[in-house]
Amino acid sequence: MTTRSTSVSVSSGCLRGITHNGVDRFLGVPYAAAPFGPLRFRAPRPHAPWNEEWDATRNGPTAPQNPYAGGLERLLPTVRIEGDEILTANIWAPAERTKNGAPVLVWIHGGSLSHGSNALPMYDGSRFARDGIVFVALNYRLGVEGFSVLDDAPVNLGLADVAHGLQWVHDEIAAFGGDPTQITVAGQSAGGSLVAGLLGHPTVRHLVRRAVIQSAPLAAADRDQAQGITRLLAGKLGIGTTRSEFASQDRETLLTALRTLSGKATPLAGGSGFDIVLDPSTVPVGPVDALAGGIADHVDILIGTTRDEHRLWTVPTGLSERIGRVHLTLARLKAGVGRRVVAQYRANRRGVKAGDVLGAVLIDMLLRRPLVRIADARSRRGARTWVYEFTWPSPVEQLGAAHGVELGFVFDLLDLPDYRTLNGPDAPQQLADDMHRTWVSFVRGDDPGWPAWDDSREVRIFGPEPGLVQALPRADEIAVWDR
């Protein structure tokens, strides 16, 4: 293995990184000014130039956040690096440049808009760079700092950050050997939600050529609904919902207050959490309506889910054991789900616990139904969409094909300790080869390996059986919602 220092110049100054085994790595590269002090709760601003060489050999600070709780901390890691310069990009690029530039993959991490960072080893982009792609992982403001709804401040600041980061990538990526006309944006969970937001964003959607949306809720909330957690925080702290009063609180005070409000919140159990907000300047139309309506028909989309998404929240937290038939009925009524819908899901899962039935219903409401609606609408207009489902079952805590289990396969990093915690020690490398190769092919603009979505609704299954393509799994469950 060979390692040496390398440097590159961008508009703000010179960066010093590392070349290792044919891959250039630049970490903690600022794409916007630190969003604190006078810039706190304000739209992202360009970073000031620097005169000395910027040390890009180590990760930059992470956005303020609490660790996962309620059992999820056993499976999902948190990295916390103190500092103000949180709006950074980590970049992995082939050390050997090509004449016309390499395709670019911009990764946006998940974490319920409250967790995660590009400093997590699980988002190491070296395998993509090995395969000829310039990989960029963006940090963005999280939780209170990024998604509060204040009376006199912009909303969707975290989305504004990634939009600013995408513009920075377009403007600067040629310095790293990337082709700014061949940008794919990709994200998982909340990161996928932000990808969908970028596809409808008025100022940057034209920069995107392809998009990957993995296991992402595709809804946006109205302002009053999204402000709920902001009002709760303000009430707990005895302050108003204004920029000045929130900016008067230090980061730890806000994190402590948030921990007491949202420690047990999950996408399935509900509770106080953050949302992407409908907003004329950033999200003028909800992502489902925007994508189904044709706003991103120029973009090729790879989109999919895991078969057992809900089990990430129902198993480690113990919800699967606590939910009975009465809870299932109450949750159905609260979510406005018809009795016939639940009956269909129960009929398809005889002998399965009520918690798994409820989880499947809610996940389809949040993820699969919007996915199918988007793919159907895009297909009618000739826009290209490829749909997948991940079905390999992790043996860890009986997770099955839970939310996030596919990530180690996509990144081809199954030996990484964080992924071994999620997938166990014997996850099949052949499946990782297959999934990673598929993502690489898509980013390059090649056929990913199965037909684009049309009236046959063909789905690529990434699971124990290699190369399986079949009609939409559990189509009867999707259809019953509209009866």
Side-chain angles (χ1 to χ4, degrees), residues 145-465:
E145 306 289 340
F147 294 95
S148 291
V149 180
L150 302 173
D151 301 338
D152 55 350
V155 295
N156 298 324
L157 288 172
L159 175 60
D161 292 341
V162 296
H164 191 96
L166 176 60
Q167 183 68 61
W168 183 91
V169 169
H170 177 268
D171 295 344
E172 305 288 356
I173 205 63
F176 302 89
D179 180 353
T181 71
Q182 295 296 320
I183 295 176
T184 300
V185 290
Q188 184 263 352
S189 193
S193 302
L194 292 171
V195 167
L198 289 176
L199 296 182
H201 195 288
T203 63
V204 297
R205 63 184 179 227
H206 66 285
L207 303 179
V208 181
R209 181 63 191 86
R210 285 171 283 275
V212 183
I213 301 174
Q214 299 176 213
S215 302
L218 298 175
D222 63 47
R223 187 182 181 94
D224 183 67
Q225 175 189 353
Q227 197 181 33
I229 190 168
T230 305
R231 291 193 296 264
L232 288 172
L233 279 166
K236 188 168 187 63
L237 295 168
I239 61 175
T241 53
T242 65
R243 172 193 281 131
S244 62
E245 290 182 87
F246 265 63
S248 71
Q249 306 295 306
D250 65 55
R251 301 173 214 181
E252 286 305 316
T253 297
L254 290 173
L255 287 175
T256 300
L258 179 62
R259 190 160 53 244
T260 65
L261 292 175
S262 60
K264 295 183 179 180
T266 74
L268 298 185
S272 301
F274 293 95
D275 296 291
I276 294 172
V277 188
L278 290 169
D279 166 64
S281 63
T282 53
V283 186
V285 181
V288 176
D289 290 336
L291 295 178
I295 203 166
D297 280 359
H298 66 289
V299 175
D300 290 343
I301 294 179
L302 173 63
I303 188 169
T305 59
T306 70
R307 184 189 58 202
D308 308 317
E309 299 272 5
H310 60 279
R311 291 185 69 80
L312 178 65
W313 299 284
T314 60
V315 175
T317 61
L319 275 174
S320 61
E321 299 298 327
R322 297 196 299 271
I323 294 175
R325 295 188 64 173
V326 172
H327 299 96
L328 176 57
T329 299
L330 292 174
R332 174 184 71 78
L333 293 171
K334 181 180 179 181
V337 178
R339 182 180 299 173
R340 180 181 294 179
V341 171
V342 175
Q344 180 70 62
Y345 282 71
R346 291 189 65 184
N348 286 358
R349 292 168 176 77
R350 298 190 184 280
V352 170
K353 294 175 181 177
D356 277 324
V357 175
L358 175 61
V361 169
L362 295 180
I363 286 296
D364 278 10
M365 182 173 70
L366 292 170
L367 304 184
R368 290 185 77 230
R369 284 190 72 221
L371 179 161
V372 170
R373 179 187 163 197
I374 290 167
D376 280 345
R378 283 172 53 87
S379 174
R380 287 192 291 269
R381 294 188 301 272
R384 300 198 301 176
T385 310
W386 285 268
V387 178
Y388 74 88
E389 179 169 283
F390 179 85
T391 66
W392 179 80
S394 170
V396 175
E397 297 195 23
Q398 298 182 322
L399 286 173
H403 190 74
V405 168
E406 88 284 10
L407 284 170
F409 297 86
V410 170
F411 279 80
D412 190 18
L413 293 171
L414 294 180
D415 287 337
L416 198 72
D418 289 343
Y419 284 130
R420 290 171 73 91
T421 297
L422 196 60
N423 299 335
D426 300 315
Q429 181 59 45
Q430 181 182 2
L431 180 56
D433 294 341
D434 189 9
M435 287 197 79
H436 180 75
R437 182 171 55 245
T438 298
W439 264 240
V440 167
S441 294
F442 181 76
V443 172
R444 287 174 174 167
D446 299 332
D447 186 334
W450 70 98
W453 186 273
D454 57 19
D455 290 344
S456 64
R457 289 179 156 184
E458 290 190 319
V459 176
R460 173 68 156 88
I461 308 298
F462 290 103
E465 185 177 344

Side-chain angles (χ1 to χ4, degrees), residues 79-101:
V79 172
R80 184 165 177 173
I81 304 171
E82 300 295 337
D84 289 348
E85 294 278 5
I86 65 172
L87 298 184
T88 63
N90 285 354
I91 303 159
W92 289 261
E96 186 174 335
R97 307 293 171 83
T98 60
K99 181 179 180 181
N100 296 321

